[in-house]
Amino acid sequence: MAKLKLALYWAATCGGCEVAVLDLNEKILDVAAAADIYLWPVAMDYKYKDAEAWHDKFIDVCLFNGAIRNSEGEHLAKLLRAKSKVMVAFGSCACFGGIPGLANVADREGVFARVYGETPSTDNSDGTRPQTSFTVPEGELTLPYFYDTVKTLGQTVPVDYFLPGCPPVTKQIWAVVQAIVAGQLPPPGSFVGVAEKSVCEECPRVKEEKKVTAFVRPHQVIPQPEKCLLEQGLICCGPATRGGCGAQCVNANMPCRGCYGPTERVTDQGAKMLSAIASIIDATDEAGVKKVVDQIVDPLGTFYRFGLPNSLLTRVRV
Amino acid sequence: MSGKNSFEPRIIGFLCRWCSYQGADLAGTSRRHYPPNMVPVRVMCSGRVDPTFVLKAIADGADGVLICGCHPGDCHYQSGNFNAMRRYPLLMKALEQFGIEKERVRLEWISASESEKFALVVKEMTETVRRLGPLEWNRRLFQEGQRKT
């Protein structure tokens, strides 16, 4: 059997997905035995012009991580889509927008004003901002154009498979790699390396009646290790989040943050999470409800932590 | 829509089958006048109104959303409207973060006999949303700024 031609690319991302691939440890040698890597900017020295020279569908599988934040990400997404037989949205940023997608609370101007002006560590009295083109004696320097709105990979190009997670857990990556090598892939458009049900199904904690009179944040308490975190007043996104991670965070005594995205039949993860949280508030009058709700500091950032671009509203109105 | 004067708000109303929808019915049979801007959607209970419904209405172009249920304590299913009562402030807090004015999404308790209140709420809300102007979320998406220089 001919070796698989593999490409790995990163757009707006932290690099954690790349580390997750390396976390395959010695199994990475099996990957190398089954596949030749043709593009992997984070680990190997390949140029975009090499990729541009390939014929269409030259690459068998492209693992694309990161959201689409600027013109470079969009260009590479379109290029690699054309050059790849199978396009995999790898990790939560590519699937749902991820943490970079939270920048949709602002637009380009808002992000620039904050980053290049307002942050306490910034000293930029000249008000220098990134330019897409700048001429120096040696020639012209260019930077990608920064968009107002972060998009998911699927909102930019057609995607064949979605492998979520921040980052995807190693055993799921391995299972997907094996399926690719064996040619046993599910129908295009599927989520792979995930469970069908929510994180709560995988969570080993004891769950009883949920009635919460006060919410707390993780830095304020040390949670009991056996009891459901929601019942302890911690906002755990397990009920509205797809399983497949093996409930790693709750097993480490931290609430689920929702990185695997919504379950199969849910459109908007944040709305479902909001509904779940509201339903456990132990109050039957408007003032009592308000008192509890006031303790939830940042509903948007908490319930849409990994999925703002993928949500129904997609971004904040500016 | 050329200016604010010609703007007719589109409001989606989720009305509970037992109280508020009956109240709307009574408003009709009593020949009460109220603006035609609210499109009613009959639901079994205000507790059935998932926040997703509200977001979907906005995302698809509604300018406002009205949720009406039985008065607290009067729910046909005993506690459904308490769920609506618990969701609403949290949803409003999130919508505020999304930049949506709080007057655009309203929760009201309207009984089967309160046709006058129903007509008044629809009238008030239509006028408030008319003043706020179009929300046009469906046209907003991705149109701004996705350009290259």
Side-chain angles (χ1 to χ4, degrees):
Chain A
M1 188 179 121
K3 276 181 129 184
L4 273 180
K5 295 192 187 82
L6 200 60
L8 295 96
Y9 187 73
W10 59 344
T13 178
C14 65
C17 285
E18 318 279 355
V19 177
V21 173
L22 294 176
D23 276 347
L24 290 169
N25 294 333
E26 72 286 353
K27 285 181 187 145
I28 196 94
L29 298 173
D30 296 341
V31 175
D36 282 329
I37 296 170
Y38 277 79
L39 179 82
W40 195 4
V42 75
M44 295 164 151
D45 185 20
Y46 287 105
K47 303 298 182 204
Y48 290 167
K49 65 173 172 9
D50 300 332
E52 277 155 13
W54 300 330
H55 61 76
D56 279 2
K57 307 287 171 207
F58 173 77
I59 293 293
D60 291 307
V61 179
C62 174
L63 302 179
F64 194 106
N65 73 73
I68 308 302
R69 164 83 276 182
N70 59 31
S71 56
E72 184 187 23
E74 186 184 356
H75 172 63
L76 263 289
K78 286 180 175 161
L79 180 71
L80 290 171
R81 172 67 276 186
K83 305 292 181 188
S84 309
K85 293 193 185 97
V86 175
M87 180 65 125
V88 181
F90 189 93
S92 300
C93 298
C95 292
F96 320 117
I99 299 287
L102 282 174
N104 282 0
V105 299
D107 57 1
R108 172 189 157 90
E109 176 54 35
V111 172
F112 277 14
R114 176 82 189 142
V115 173
Y116 298 104
E118 294 160 11
T119 47
S121 58
T122 302
D123 180 8
N124 184 12
S125 48
D126 300 340
T128 307
R129 296 276 184 90
Q131 305 296 316
T132 49
S133 144
F134 188 73
T135 312
V136 288
E138 292 79 7
E140 190 196 12
L141 296 172
T142 59
L143 278 177
Y145 183 80
F146 190 95
Y147 293 148
D148 278 333
T149 301
V150 177
K151 288 205 225 178
T152 70
L153 182 61
Q155 288 165 345
T156 310
V157 294
V159 170
D160 297 304
Y161 300 105
F162 297 88
L163 175 56
C166 185
V169 296
T170 313
K171 74 171 173 38
Q172 297 285 23
I173 300 174
W174 181 237
V176 171
V177 169
Q178 278 182 314
I180 291 170
V181 171
Q184 294 165 336
L185 281 165
S190 304
F191 276 76
V192 289
V194 293
E196 219 172 280
K197 292 188 172 170
S198 73
V199 173
C200 290
E201 292 286 322
E202 297 179 341
C203 170
R205 287 169 184 264
V206 180
K207 299 166 193 82
E208 287 163 346
E209 203 189 354
K210 295 182 184 20
K211 277 192 179 299
V212 177
T213 47
F215 283 105
V216 286
R217 303 178 77 185
H219 66 274
Q220 294 169 319
V221 287
I222 295 173
Q224 298 167 34
E226 311 283 326
K227 191 179 171 187
C228 169
L229 290 161
L230 275 170
E231 288 165 26
Q232 299 182 53
L234 285 145
I235 295 179
C236 175
C237 293
T241 303
R242 196 195 276 266
C245 56
Q248 284 185 322
C249 294
V250 287
N251 282 321
N253 220 9
M254 277 297 284
C256 169
R257 289 153 40 101
C259 75
Y260 265 62
T263 50
E264 195 69 47
R265 274 176 267 179
V266 172
T267 328
D268 194 288
Q269 186 185 13
K272 282 292 175 197
M273 197 53 225
L274 196 151
S275 191
I277 289 293
S279 70
I280 63 169
I281 294 174
D282 189 16
T284 48
D285 62 281
E286 275 151 24
V289 173
K290 187 177 178 298
K291 214 176 114 204
V292 183
V293 166
D294 280 346
Q295 295 158 351
I296 301 169
V297 189
D298 175 16
L300 188 152
T302 311
F303 304 142
Y304 291 99
R305 187 178 271 129
F306 292 92
L308 186 52
N310 189 50
S311 70
L312 280 167
L313 297 185
T314 316
R315 60 159 301 119
V316 163
R317 188 179 166 200
V318 286
Chain B
M1 310 266 168
S2 50
K4 270 199 177 174
N5 293 335
S6 61
F7 163 60
E8 285 298 334
R10 278 173 300 179
I11 297 167
I12 304 295
F14 294 106
L15 312 183
C16 126
R17 179 232 180 287
W18 302 99
C19 292
S20 311
Y21 199 84
Q22 302 289 350
D25 240 5
L26 184 62
T29 49
S30 318
R31 316 220 162 185
R32 285 188 197 283
H33 285 264
Y34 61 90
N37 300 60
M38 197 256 323
V39 181
V41 178
R42 193 177 69 168
V43 290
M44 289 307 279
C45 178
S46 56
R48 178 66 185 89
V49 184
D50 190 303
T52 311
F53 298 180
V54 178
L55 299 179
K56 175 82 175 146
I58 293 170
D60 285 353
D63 300 301
V65 179
L66 175 64
I67 306 161
C68 296
C70 309
H71 284 267
D74 288 352
C75 178
H76 186 77
Y77 308 102
Q78 311 226 350
S79 62
N81 55 359
F82 286 123
N83 279 333
M85 183 205 279
R86 292 183 190 114
R87 278 183 204 130
Y88 180 72
L90 191 53
L91 176 63
M92 293 317 290
K93 207 169 169 179
L95 288 181
E96 212 174 313
Q97 289 183 293
F98 273 105
I100 295 168
E101 299 90 346
K102 64 178 190 308
E103 293 85 359
R104 290 189 190 269
V105 180
R106 190 162 163 179
L107 173 68
E108 286 290 341
W109 311 126
I110 295 171
S111 80
S113 61
E114 289 176 324
S115 64
E116 197 181 345
K117 183 176 179 186
F118 174 79
L120 187 71
V121 164
V122 174
K123 192 165 168 249
E124 262 180 27
M125 189 162 173
T126 305
E127 289 321 308
T128 313
V129 174
R130 195 192 301 280
R131 257 198 321 278
L132 289 171
L135 187 57
E136 293 189 314
W137 207 276
N138 51 348
R139 289 201 212 161
R140 250 172 237 285
L141 287 188
F142 299 137
Q143 290 202 344
E144 28 70 64
Q146 297 285 18
R147 62 197 178 256
K148 286 170 200 169
T149 49

